[in-house]
Amino acid sequence: MQKQRSLLALIVVLVIAAITVIATIPVPLGLDLRGGSQLTIQVKTTEEIKEITERELEAVKKVVEGRINGLGVSEPVIQTVGNDKILVQLPGVNDPEQAERVLGGTAQLEFRTQKADTDTQLLAFRVSETELKNKQEELRKSQDQAAIDENQAELKKNQQAIAELFASTNPPLTGKYLKDAQGEPTQGNNWNVAIRFDPKGGELFADLTKKLAGTGRAIGIFLDNELISSPTVGPEFAATGITGGAAVITGRFQAEEANNLGVQLRGGALPVPVEIAERRTVGATLGKDSIKSSIYAGIGGLVLVLIFMVVYYRLPGLIADFSLVIYSLFTWATFALLGVTLTLPGIAGFILSIGMAVDANVLIFERTREELRAGKSLYRSVESGFYRAFSSILDSNVTTWIACAALFWLGSGLVKGFALTLALGVAVSMFTAITCSRTLMFLAVSIPSLRKTELYCPNLTAANKAEVAR
């Protein structure tokens, strides 16, 4: 009994926590619910790059992410499709032509020299840039578009000011001379970024580093006119510069930081053009109608299930209804905590998982009735009901998870949203069925006025009632 009370207290605490999460953290809406633009970007081959591999596609995707950040869009979705396409969803953006102008074209990577006597200014602007980017992340979570636009304008102004502190070389050292860039581990936990130029680029890089070696001025590495790195050159290279066409950017990088910088550099070096293969706009009105219809469907289905459970299963059905409400709170709070972007198929997955949650309770209650009909006591029947139903519930959920994994792995876009919400819902439903329903059932059995067998199995024969009573 003490164990059941402890579990009940835990459930109450979790319910309060879930309500708090739901009230404070909004679940982001996908393109089909919020409205916006969807662009499919086709990555084209060239004479230099005759085939688009996963490595090139990932590099282009990184460039696209940087450009979308420049648009100030909250909750964008960027993912690769096939071997040569990138799908971009921009919720809240109803002017796809603007996005098309920004996302189209080849990335521009350039190595520039820092102007003399600009160290203090550069430091101040970099600090300001970091603060503005951190603020931008916070604003995107709040989805305050006006504040996001204002912050983005300040960020662009700041980045332009940084760009003015650097000058291009003559001739410019651009990404077309860069052959490769990738993170590489060093001793300990630090990582470096190794870069390699072609022969012409190696000569230009040697001249650049010779001028800057030992001066304290930095090499400005700009991607689409945004400073992504500013390494300095040691005085030991003052005589000849860094020769051989290869160099290493050090800076105590973490693995993720080094790999991200390598991907950005490769993306800026790729001479692959991109074009908009498909453009689609979803109106906000359609999104609101979809949300309204989904809410009506979800509430209607939930109410019908709640009524059926009480009518058919009596007291256990009422307990299942409480568990179902708790399940809904836990699942929605999980979506909010994990930042799940909710789409129309995602809502369908959530509603379907409600049915899965009810299915677990049905299995438990039917097993309990079988035990009562076999003449076992009420407590033993409930206990056996949960024990015997567990394997069936587990098998059912595992097969559903396998299907969800296949959909998530092989599907894309909206299909992944359906798979994710269904998988999370099934996981939470198993917890509520085994924990919440079990705790409430044993709590009910411990109350004398609720030990009447007709509350659990109304069609029990008189002989079986006598056996149960003993």
Side-chain angles (χ1 to χ4, degrees):
M1 185 62 187
Q2 182 61 38
K3 181 182 177 181
Q4 305 307 325
R5 288 177 179 174
S6 299
L7 286 173
L8 184 62
L10 175 62
I11 293 169
V12 171
V13 170
L14 290 176
V15 167
I16 294 172
I19 294 173
T20 304
V21 168
I22 293 170
T24 55
I25 305 177
V27 176
L29 301 179
L31 183 71
D32 55 346
L33 298 180
R34 187 178 170 189
S37 301
Q38 176 175 297
L39 303 173
T40 302
I41 300 175
Q42 174 80 51
V43 182
K44 311 289 286 186
T45 57
T46 64
E47 293 183 0
E48 294 85 359
I49 300 179
K50 300 185 182 297
E51 182 183 2
I52 304 298
T53 65
E54 184 179 349
R55 196 167 185 258
E56 281 86 23
L57 195 62
E58 186 64 28
V60 175
K61 178 185 172 186
K62 195 70 177 179
V63 174
V64 170
E65 287 177 353
R67 292 180 177 181
I68 288 174
N69 289 335
L71 288 172
V73 179
S74 61
E75 306 296 342
V77 175
I78 308 159
Q79 57 191 25
T80 57
V81 179
N83 298 323
D84 59 355
K85 292 185 179 68
I86 297 173
L87 180 69
V88 179
Q89 294 182 345
L90 307 173
V93 176
N94 296 316
D95 183 10
E97 293 182 358
Q98 178 197 8
E100 186 174 344
R101 288 193 299 269
V102 173
L103 297 179
T106 308
Q108 302 296 322
L109 178 71
E110 186 178 359
F111 294 77
R112 304 175 187 173
T113 60
Q114 182 185 352
K115 296 177 182 178
D117 302 322
T118 58
D119 291 345
T120 304
Q121 293 171 276
L122 178 60
L123 178 61
F125 284 132
R126 292 307 297 270
V127 170
S128 177
E129 181 184 38
T130 301
E131 292 175 350
L132 288 170
K133 286 185 176 180
N134 290 337
K135 184 179 179 182
Q136 186 180 90
E137 291 299 320
E138 295 176 2
L139 291 173
R140 284 178 178 173
K141 292 178 182 178
S142 67
Q143 299 183 2
D144 185 348
Q145 195 59 46
I148 290 174
D149 293 341
E150 182 180 350
N151 175 267
Q152 195 61 40
E154 293 179 11
L155 186 57
K156 286 183 178 179
K157 184 178 179 181
N158 189 86
Q159 290 171 345
Q160 183 60 40
I162 292 175
E164 292 175 358
L165 302 180
F166 292 82
S168 298
T169 59
N170 188 19
L173 179 55
T174 61
K176 70 178 182 179
Y177 299 111
L178 185 66
K179 303 299 292 182
D180 194 19
Q182 61 182 359
E184 57 180 24
T186 61
Q187 292 182 350
N189 296 323
N190 294 332
W191 281 62
N192 295 333
V193 179
I195 58 176
R196 182 169 57 86
F197 295 92
D198 65 9
K200 178 62 176 177
E203 294 176 9
L204 295 174
F205 187 69
D207 291 339
L208 170 63
T209 52
K210 181 179 179 180
K211 293 177 183 177
L212 296 178
T215 64
R217 290 186 289 153
I219 300 173
I221 305 177
F222 286 82
L223 180 60
D224 288 338
N225 208 40
E226 178 184 349
L227 184 65
I228 60 173
S229 184
S230 54
T232 56
V233 186
E236 65 271 21
F237 299 105
T240 61
I242 300 176
T243 59
V248 175
I249 302 174
T250 60
R252 296 183 178 179
F253 294 107
Q254 297 296 317
E256 184 178 359
E257 295 172 329
N259 289 325
N260 283 342
L261 180 56
V263 170
Q264 284 181 301
L265 292 171
R266 290 200 304 272
L270 287 174
V272 290
V274 297
E275 66 177 25
I276 307 300
E278 182 185 6
R279 185 178 70 186
R280 186 162 62 91
T281 303
V282 178
T285 303
L286 179 61
K288 289 180 181 178
D289 291 342
S290 299
I291 294 174
K292 187 183 295 183
S293 300
S294 300
I295 290 174
Y296 289 159
I299 293 176
L302 184 61
V303 169
L304 289 174
V305 168
L306 295 179
I307 293 173
F308 168 79
M309 292 299 289
V310 172
V311 171
Y312 189 79
Y313 288 104
R314 306 295 175 88
L315 181 60
L318 184 62
I319 290 173
D321 289 350
F322 278 112
S323 296
L324 208 55
V325 173
I326 293 172
Y327 156 78
S328 301
L329 291 174
F330 285 177
T331 305
W332 199 262
T334 302
F335 292 166
L337 286 174
L338 296 181
V340 175
T341 299
L342 201 62
T343 61
L344 198 57
I347 293 177
F350 172 59
I351 295 174
L352 180 59
S353 67
I354 293 177
M356 299 290 292
V358 173
D359 181 60
N361 284 284
V362 167
L363 287 172
I364 293 167
F365 299 155
E366 286 297 333
R367 294 292 185 273
T368 300
R369 286 187 171 185
E370 288 176 4
E371 298 299 317
L372 285 170
R373 293 188 184 105
K376 288 188 179 181
S377 68
L378 184 58
Y379 183 88
R380 292 300 177 191
S381 297
V382 171
E383 188 177 48
S384 298
F386 279 95
Y387 177 78
R388 291 181 58 194
F390 178 77
S391 59
S392 300
I393 295 170
L394 182 61
D395 291 345
S396 174
N397 288 344
V398 167
T399 54
T400 304
W401 284 326
I402 292 172
C404 289
L407 288 173
F408 191 86
W409 182 261
L410 300 175
S412 62
L414 300 177
V415 176
K416 283 190 174 183
F418 172 81
L420 180 60
T421 55
L422 179 57
L424 289 174
V426 169
V428 177
S429 73
M430 187 168 180
F431 170 79
T432 54
I434 302 301
T435 304
C436 298
S437 296
R438 182 185 179 89
T439 301
L440 293 174
M441 278 286 283
F442 279 113
L443 189 65
V445 170
S446 67
I447 300 174
S449 59
L450 299 179
R451 289 179 186 166
K452 300 175 182 178
T453 55
E454 56 268 22
L455 294 177
Y456 300 85
C457 187
N459 297 323
L460 202 62
T461 63
N464 285 335
K465 285 183 180 181
E467 289 290 331
V468 169
R470 284 192 293 178

